[in-house]
Amino acid sequence: MKIAIFQFSLFGINTYVVYDPATLCCAIIDPGMLGLQEEKAMTDFIGKNQLKVTHIINTHLHLDHAVGNNFLKDTYKVPILAHKDDEPLGERMQQQAYMFGINENFKGVEISDYLTDGEIIKIGDGELKVISVPGHSPGSVALYDKKDGFLIAGDALFKGSIGRTDLPGGNHTQLLSSIKDKLFTLPKNTVVYPGHGPATTIGDEMRLNPYLQ
C-alpha cells in the first residue's frame, strides 16, 4: 500500500492516508484536521486521487489525533475505529481541549467499531494488523503493514523518543513494555511513521533511542 502524509496544525499531528493503488480503497488514520482549510486539504486529496474512504482509524483518541473524526464520518459515511479502552477519551474531547487551553467547541467522538489486538483490517487488497501498545493512552494501538514493511505507531514510538505518559491514563512502565515486547519484535527494517515528527525504523530505535536502552 501507499502512504500520504499530512501535517496539521494542532500540535503538529501527522495524519496518514493509507491506500491500495489497485482498488483505490483507503483508510484515513488519526484525522487531525482542524478548520475548513485543513478539511479541504484532505477532501481535495481524496477527490483528486479518486480514492474511496472505507475506514477512519484512530491509534488513540487524544484531541490532536481525533479532532477530525466527526467531519470525516459525516463526509464519507464510514465507521470510526478505535480501541475500547480509549472510549473515555473520545467522550471527553471538550475537556481535553480545555486542559490545553483551547476554547473551541468540540463534539465527542463515538467509536463505531472497536479495534482488537491482532485484528486484520482490509484496505482493498492491502492489510493492516492492529497491535495493542498501551502506555501513552490505555487504548493506544499501532498499525502494521507486513507486506510493505511499515508501521504507523501513533504516539507510542518516535524518532529518538517515546510518547509522553503524564496525561490521564498514561503509564510509563507499560509503554516501555509495549514497545519492547510488541514493536521491537518486528523486522529491523520496518519503517516507523509516528504521530509527530519524521519517520524512522525499528532497527534505528532499538540501537539509538535513549529511552529504550
Side-chain angles (χ1 to χ4, degrees), residues 102-116:
I102 300 170
N103 293 319
E104 296 189 43
N105 293 320
F106 294 102
K107 181 181 177 183
V109 173
E110 184 177 344
I111 301 173
S112 306
D113 296 299
Y114 297 127
L115 298 173
T116 58

Side-chain angles (χ1 to χ4, degrees), residues 78-109:
V78 292
I80 295 172
L81 311 183
H83 195 284
K84 182 176 176 59
D85 289 349
D86 266 17
E87 197 161 44
L89 290 173
E91 295 169 350
R92 297 171 184 159
M93 294 286 285
Q94 191 64 64
Q95 292 92 325
Q96 290 190 58
Y98 290 152
M99 184 173 66
F100 287 104
I102 300 170
N103 293 319
E104 296 189 43
N105 293 320
F106 294 102
K107 181 181 177 183
V109 173

Side-chain angles (χ1 to χ4, degrees), residues 1 8 19 27 50 56 74 91-92 102 116 165 202 207:
M1 290 193 288
F8 292 122
Y19 61 100
Q50 299 181 313
I56 307 163
D74 292 343
E91 295 169 350
R92 297 171 184 159
I102 300 170
T116 58
T165 54
I202 290 294
R207 292 186 301 109

Side-chain angles (χ1 to χ4, degrees), residues 131 144 179-188 202 206:
I131 302 174
Y144 178 48
I179 295 169
K180 292 178 179 179
D181 297 343
K182 295 289 193 69
L183 302 187
F184 280 4
T185 62
L186 299 176
K188 292 181 180 180
I202 290 294
M206 291 176 71

Side-chain angles (χ1 to χ4, degrees), residues 10-43:
L10 194 60
F11 306 123
I13 166 69
N14 291 334
T15 292
Y16 296 98
V17 179
V18 176
Y19 61 100
D20 170 28
T23 65
L24 299 182
C25 292
C26 76
I28 301 173
I29 299 170
D30 287 352
M33 66 286 297
L34 178 65
L36 295 176
Q37 184 176 354
E38 294 184 348
E39 291 171 352
K40 185 175 185 299
M42 178 59 69
T43 56

Side-chain angles (χ1 to χ4, degrees), residues 2-212:
K2 293 187 176 181
I3 301 178
I5 306 171
F6 295 81
Q7 187 176 83
F8 292 122
S9 60
L10 194 60
F11 306 123
I13 166 69
N14 291 334
T15 292
Y16 296 98
V17 179
V18 176
Y19 61 100
D20 170 28
T23 65
L24 299 182
C25 292
C26 76
I28 301 173
I29 299 170
D30 287 352
M33 66 286 297
L34 178 65
L36 295 176
Q37 184 176 354
E38 294 184 348
E39 291 171 352
K40 185 175 185 299
M42 178 59 69
T43 56
D44 283 355
F45 176 82
I46 297 297
K48 179 181 178 181
N49 291 280
Q50 299 181 313
L51 300 179
K52 178 184 177 182
V53 181
T54 56
H55 302 81
I56 307 163
I57 309 175
N58 294 266
T59 64
H60 61 296
L61 287 176
H62 284 149
L63 177 70
D64 52 336
H65 291 251
V67 68
N69 272 288
N70 291 318
F71 167 75
L72 291 179
K73 183 179 181 181
D74 292 343
T75 301
Y76 296 110
K77 314 302 181 188
V78 292
I80 295 172
L81 311 183
H83 195 284
K84 182 176 176 59
D85 289 349
D86 266 17
E87 197 161 44
L89 290 173
E91 295 169 350
R92 297 171 184 159
M93 294 286 285
Q94 191 64 64
Q95 292 92 325
Q96 290 190 58
Y98 290 152
M99 184 173 66
F100 287 104
I102 300 170
N103 293 319
E104 296 189 43
N105 293 320
F106 294 102
K107 181 181 177 183
V109 173
E110 184 177 344
I111 301 173
S112 306
D113 296 299
Y114 297 127
L115 298 173
T116 58
D117 187 43
E119 174 183 356
I120 300 296
I121 302 171
K122 295 284 291 183
I123 312 296
D125 294 330
E127 295 183 348
L128 292 174
K129 181 180 179 179
V130 176
I131 302 174
S132 180
V133 287
H136 176 66
S137 74
S140 286
V141 302
L143 302 162
Y144 178 48
D145 183 332
K146 180 178 180 179
K147 179 181 177 182
D148 296 296
F150 69 80
L151 177 82
I152 295 177
D155 282 0
L157 180 64
F158 302 113
K159 182 179 178 64
S161 189
I162 61 173
R164 61 187 294 184
T165 54
D166 59 337
L167 299 173
N171 185 307
H172 184 76
T173 301
Q174 188 179 43
L175 178 58
L176 293 179
S177 295
S178 292
I179 295 169
K180 292 178 179 179
D181 297 343
K182 295 289 193 69
L183 302 187
F184 280 4
T185 62
L186 299 176
K188 292 181 180 180
N189 62 350
T190 300
V191 178
V192 178
Y193 294 103
H196 306 266
T200 183
T201 66
I202 290 294
D204 282 351
E205 297 316 303
M206 291 176 71
R207 292 186 301 109
L208 302 173
N209 193 308
Y211 296 90
L212 296 161

